[in-house]
Amino acid sequence: MPEPRWRRQFNDLKTRRPELAERVCRKLLVDMQRQGLVDFDALDEEVALALRLHEERRGVDPNRPKPRITPESRVELYRLALEYAARYLEPEEISSVILLTEKRQLAFEVSRMAEDADTPLEALRAKIVEFLSFAPADTVAPRADVIGTRAALVRRLMTDQLDFIAVAKKFVRIRDFQYVLDHMIPTAGNQGRIGGKAAGLMLARSILIRAARQGRFEGEFSIPESFFLPSNGILEFIELNGLEEIINLKYGTMEEIREEFPLVERLFKSGTFPPIVRQGLRDMLERIGEKPLVVRSSSLLEDRIGHAFSGKYKSLFIANRGTIERRLKELEDAISEVYASIFHPDPIEYRRDRGLLDFQEQMGILIQVVVGKEYSDLLLPAFAGVAFSRCEMRWSPRIRRTDGMARLVLGLGTRAVDRTGSDFPVLVALEQPTLRAVQQPTEIFRYSQRTVDVVDLKRGCFEALDLEKLMGRIAKEFPMKREIFSIYRDGQIMPLWGVLRKQDIPDLVVSFDGLLESPFPAKLKNILDLLEEGLGEPVDIEFAHDGENFFLLQCRALSLASSARRVPVPRDIPPEDRVFSADRFVQMAQLEDLEYIVLVDPRDYEKLPTAEAMRRVAAGVGAVNRALPARRFILMGPGRWGSRGDIRLGVPVSYSDICHTSLLIEVARMKGNYRPDVSFGTHFFQDLVEAKIAYLPLYPDEEQNIWNEEILNCSPSVLADILPEYADLEQVLRVIHIPEVAEGKLLHIIMDGESDEALAFLVPQRKNRNTGGYDEF
């Protein structure tokens, strides 16, 4: 009679792993005892008889120790376990126990190797492959073993943040870590992690894959081909180039950090990479080929639950064309510049405000192939954008906070992320996609995208091209024209029907009307809802679409403060005590006992003769931000705070220049017959939401709104008293000390998002007022 399959499996296991064969026998005994098939006391008797042992029967005297189990006894016990298993159990049951025992051991070994920081990553990868390859169709490791293994891998490769681990272990499968290790750039050490941005992307991918398996997500999605340079790479770079003294630069004053950063960046960009990293980057480039790349920061603190670090570190596009040596040099230059951004004043200020300065920040690098297709030596996606599961910046009282929001652009998504020049993305409330921020045809045309970011493959560089010129080159090949474009003609916006004719190109408007009437907004909202549910926090994502496929580029959780309760705007404030009012895009917030108003009036700012003078105003704003007591002032300025392109549109500040204000106001003064754009929902304003800084746009030229000229424009400024070195800006940058100009009164602001009203007004000081600055009443 042929030997049963389970017996061959057991003998093979006994030869390879004798300790696991013993574990199989123990498991069989326990299973049979639970089923009442064997009795341990009876087995003891059989063992004693077989070995001719003459000790007293076990259990006769409860006060005496039980007989010792000799090695021979254990061997006989295991022999009997197999004999009884063959008698009472089905062959498939025995085989299952054998396979499961080895599968569980492999899970334990993966966990143990992951917990050992000295385990080479290649050895860890090999063990994961062994685990995944072992009897995949015949046995499944217990859930507890799988969850424990996942948690160990998350700690080793992603983060030690407990909140993140608690979520990731539920979604990120062991096979997902094989993908990470298959795409890891080697370093000399084994301790690095892929960082927050890369970890957030992998977690989001796993959440959506699980939702698809459950039938809760029907759409298709991908992530770009991605590679990971782990976080210890920056420490090896710093050590190799003798830059250790820079690590403690973060403990200096903000002025010192600002002064030294240009040199720090130059030192990093002139540095060299360790040989093992250089070879890994070279191998990656040969594997990818000549495809444009984006080099993204992925620090250990970045995109963690509760700390998004949005826009703090650099992400850079490179063309990746030419010889391998040229491509490697270009890539190393980009990585070194991203490394240097860890010492920029903005992230240091952000960390300082949140008590994270003492954390040893390390920078991982996420390298991704740029999403897009080639058209006449240009590469670009059909469209790209950013999307938020919560709509914090509303342009209509009909929009709910839970509607979600997206910013859509033609081409690369840079213009959706950053405010660039005078261009405008299309803003979409995802559950009400036809409720546009602008409604009139003339406004739609005026506030439409006119410049498109692309990669010029022939010149090997990143380019911003005029829409008309771009479409003149690629209109015939370009996809999704009906979904993206409309025609502006005779003062009307019309759909693009039929073939796009050459004479229609000058009249093209990037409206996304066709896309917004398709299932796409609902699909995008579904993605956001699934990610918010999985992470347990509101999220924002970056995405791109190449005309055929949707790509998820980034996902982060945003820990948002709960909304303030509603306080109606008071109706009995004397006219002379009313400072300003607003009646659109109002959040729910209340602020009290404010002492200062910092005002850059658009009418004064636009008269400045040079860009240098405008940048000096930005420097002055930053100095005032540092000099005034935190959360005791509001900041008011023209149109688009933080403008990075055309700085005539707004003061070119960074987050660290405005981080101590309690309210940021954008003043939109009429220019001729149109109203300037304000900044809805950009990454810059996610900083405000996280920091609990309220935001409000003002339209003072509209008749129903209040603008108290006497207080705001005629009151004396104390700028020269606070910062004498900026006294020359006193006519542009006004610092109004409210108690001095209002008989000791202070400023209160009520913002009622439900009625879409806001009012700032003066009140007498209270004897025991709260000096904290921000209050929710």
Side-chain angles (χ1 to χ4, degrees), residues 435-686:
L435 188 60
R436 304 288 293 270
V438 290
Q439 300 289 334
Q440 297 302 316
T442 54
E443 288 188 325
I444 293 172
F445 180 75
R446 168 68 181 83
Y447 296 113
S448 65
Q449 181 183 355
R450 309 307 301 173
T451 307
V452 184
D453 291 335
V454 304
V455 178
D456 188 322
L457 300 175
K458 190 172 184 179
R459 298 177 58 195
C461 61
F462 177 89
E463 289 282 354
L465 299 181
D466 177 78
L467 173 63
E468 184 176 343
K469 292 181 179 178
L470 171 67
M471 295 312 297
R473 290 175 60 178
I474 70 171
K476 185 178 294 186
E477 310 165 75
F478 194 73
M480 301 185 73
K481 290 187 282 290
R482 294 183 186 177
E483 288 83 0
I484 295 172
F485 297 113
S486 297
I487 299 290
Y488 179 70
R489 186 171 295 149
D490 300 326
Q492 297 297 320
I493 298 292
M494 298 178 290
L496 177 62
W497 298 112
V499 177
L500 177 62
R501 301 172 302 173
K502 186 174 182 180
Q503 58 265 37
D504 292 331
I505 291 177
D507 299 326
L508 285 178
V509 178
V510 179
S511 66
F512 289 104
D513 282 350
L515 185 70
L516 299 183
E517 292 173 358
S518 77
F520 177 78
K523 172 185 173 180
L524 187 57
K525 186 62 167 62
N526 185 28
I527 289 174
L528 292 168
D529 288 344
L530 290 168
L531 294 175
E532 178 172 329
E533 177 188 290
L535 292 173
E537 298 278 0
V539 300
D540 85 55
I541 64 172
E542 293 182 23
F543 61 88
H545 199 293
D546 67 1
E548 296 180 359
N549 301 301
F550 177 91
F551 289 84
L552 181 65
L553 308 180
Q554 181 178 324
C555 173
R556 59 170 157 251
L558 299 172
S559 181
L560 303 182
S562 58
S563 298
R565 63 184 178 88
R566 184 189 182 197
V567 175
V569 169
R571 305 297 178 185
D572 57 351
I573 303 299
E576 64 273 15
D577 287 338
R578 301 183 182 194
V579 180
F580 58 80
S581 68
D583 64 354
R584 65 176 73 180
F585 319 133
V586 177
Q587 295 177 321
M588 197 78 78
Q590 303 91 39
L591 301 96
E592 64 173 2
D593 295 337
L594 300 166
E595 292 187 43
Y596 294 91
I597 295 174
V598 181
L599 170 64
V600 180
D601 193 302
R603 296 170 295 188
D604 300 321
Y605 182 77
E606 67 183 9
K607 295 176 183 176
L608 293 174
T610 64
E612 182 180 353
M614 294 176 177
R615 292 191 180 93
R616 179 157 172 76
V617 172
V621 169
V624 170
N625 177 69
R626 294 184 290 275
L628 293 181
R631 301 298 191 264
R632 304 286 296 148
F633 66 95
I634 64 172
L635 190 54
M636 308 172 70
R640 305 175 81 180
W641 280 109
S643 183
R644 299 182 186 181
D646 186 351
I647 63 174
R648 294 171 299 177
L649 300 174
V651 184
V653 293
S654 62
Y655 170 73
S656 62
D657 295 318
I658 55 95
C659 62
H660 293 151
T661 186
S662 59
L663 171 65
L664 190 73
I665 294 176
E666 292 188 318
V667 182
R669 289 278 185 183
M670 294 296 291
K671 294 184 177 181
N673 60 356
Y674 78 92
R675 183 182 65 246
D677 176 56
V678 292
S679 303
F680 296 112
T682 66
H683 281 190
F684 185 77
F685 282 97
Q686 285 301 317

Side-chain angles (χ1 to χ4, degrees), residues 80-222:
L80 289 171
L82 295 177
E83 180 181 314
Y84 276 96
R87 185 183 308 169
Y88 293 124
L89 301 179
E90 295 293 331
E92 293 78 10
E93 291 181 83
I94 305 173
S95 182
S96 176
V97 170
I98 295 169
L99 294 175
L100 181 59
T101 299
E102 189 161 5
K103 189 79 169 182
R104 293 191 69 187
Q105 179 61 26
L106 289 171
F108 296 149
E109 290 172 359
V110 172
S111 296
R112 187 168 60 247
M113 294 175 72
E115 298 288 6
D116 183 357
D118 293 326
T119 299
L121 294 181
E122 183 54 40
L124 179 60
R125 178 196 172 279
K127 184 58 68 175
I128 290 174
V129 171
E130 184 181 358
F131 170 81
L132 294 171
S133 303
F134 181 81
D138 299 316
T139 188
V140 177
R143 183 177 183 277
D145 293 349
V146 171
I147 293 296
T149 303
R150 290 176 178 178
L153 289 167
V154 172
R155 281 192 296 271
R156 174 63 185 276
L157 297 174
M158 291 184 172
T159 180
D160 59 0
Q161 186 193 19
L162 294 178
D163 290 346
F164 189 97
I165 295 171
V167 174
K169 70 184 183 184
K170 296 187 292 186
F171 295 101
V172 185
R173 297 176 298 171
I174 295 173
R175 68 180 65 256
D176 296 329
F177 292 101
Q178 181 185 348
Y179 176 92
V180 171
L181 291 168
D182 283 344
H183 293 76
M184 189 82 84
I185 307 298
T187 58
N190 295 302
Q191 293 77 28
R193 298 185 172 107
I194 62 175
K197 188 171 291 182
L201 176 64
M202 295 306 297
L203 174 55
R205 173 180 178 267
S206 298
I207 291 172
L208 295 179
I209 288 175
R210 180 178 175 182
R213 292 200 306 268
Q214 295 173 338
R216 302 174 62 206
F217 176 58
E218 298 181 356
E220 296 291 332
F221 84 100
S222 302

Side-chain angles (χ1 to χ4, degrees), residues 259-460:
E259 290 173 358
E260 293 190 37
F261 178 72
L263 175 60
V264 169
E265 188 173 57
R266 285 166 173 79
L267 291 172
F268 269 77
K269 287 176 73 66
S270 63
T272 57
F273 283 79
I276 188 172
V277 174
R278 294 201 80 215
Q279 186 59 49
L281 294 173
R282 180 188 292 271
D283 293 344
M284 183 204 73
L285 291 175
E286 290 176 345
R287 178 175 171 181
I288 289 175
E290 295 185 54
K291 299 176 183 176
L293 302 174
V294 57
V295 179
R296 296 177 178 268
S297 63
S298 186
S299 79
L300 294 187
L301 285 175
E302 195 171 4
D303 293 358
R304 289 160 65 105
I305 295 175
H307 302 294
F309 275 76
S310 50
K312 298 296 174 295
Y313 300 130
K314 283 195 172 182
S315 293
L316 301 171
F317 287 90
I318 58 174
N320 188 34
R321 309 287 277 195
T323 66
I324 188 68
E325 292 301 328
R326 175 181 174 180
R327 292 157 56 205
L328 179 60
K329 182 178 179 181
E330 182 184 36
L331 176 59
E332 289 179 333
D333 186 59
I335 293 173
S336 64
E337 188 170 335
V338 174
Y339 274 167
S341 67
I342 204 170
F343 300 101
H344 190 277
D346 267 13
I348 291 176
E349 181 83 14
Y350 186 94
R351 292 168 59 194
R352 185 172 290 176
D353 284 349
R354 287 156 179 78
L356 300 172
L357 201 60
D358 295 328
F359 185 92
Q360 187 191 41
E361 175 72 304
Q362 296 177 26
M363 177 68 76
I365 299 292
L366 172 60
I367 303 170
Q368 294 178 316
V369 173
V370 175
V371 173
K373 294 188 176 182
E374 293 188 27
Y375 310 98
S376 302
D377 295 323
L378 301 176
L379 184 138
L380 67 156
F383 66 92
V386 295
F388 306 88
S389 64
R390 302 298 177 95
C391 190
E392 294 298 329
M393 306 296 171
R394 303 176 304 114
W395 52 91
S396 167
R398 291 167 53 192
I399 296 174
R400 303 177 300 262
R401 183 171 178 264
T402 56
D403 283 350
M405 186 189 78
R407 297 164 57 90
L408 304 175
V409 295
L410 172 67
L412 297 174
T414 43
R415 290 171 185 270
V417 176
D418 300 320
R419 293 173 305 288
T420 307
S422 56
D423 250 354
F424 306 91
V426 171
L427 304 180
V428 185
L430 293 174
E431 293 209 359
Q432 302 187 70
T434 58
L435 188 60
R436 304 288 293 270
V438 290
Q439 300 289 334
Q440 297 302 316
T442 54
E443 288 188 325
I444 293 172
F445 180 75
R446 168 68 181 83
Y447 296 113
S448 65
Q449 181 183 355
R450 309 307 301 173
T451 307
V452 184
D453 291 335
V454 304
V455 178
D456 188 322
L457 300 175
K458 190 172 184 179
R459 298 177 58 195

Side-chain angles (χ1 to χ4, degrees), residues 583-584 668 670 675 699-707:
D583 64 354
R584 65 176 73 180
M670 294 296 291
R675 183 182 65 246
Y699 301 90
D701 295 321
E702 296 184 356
E703 185 177 353
Q704 71 276 16
N705 289 331
I706 296 167
W707 178 274

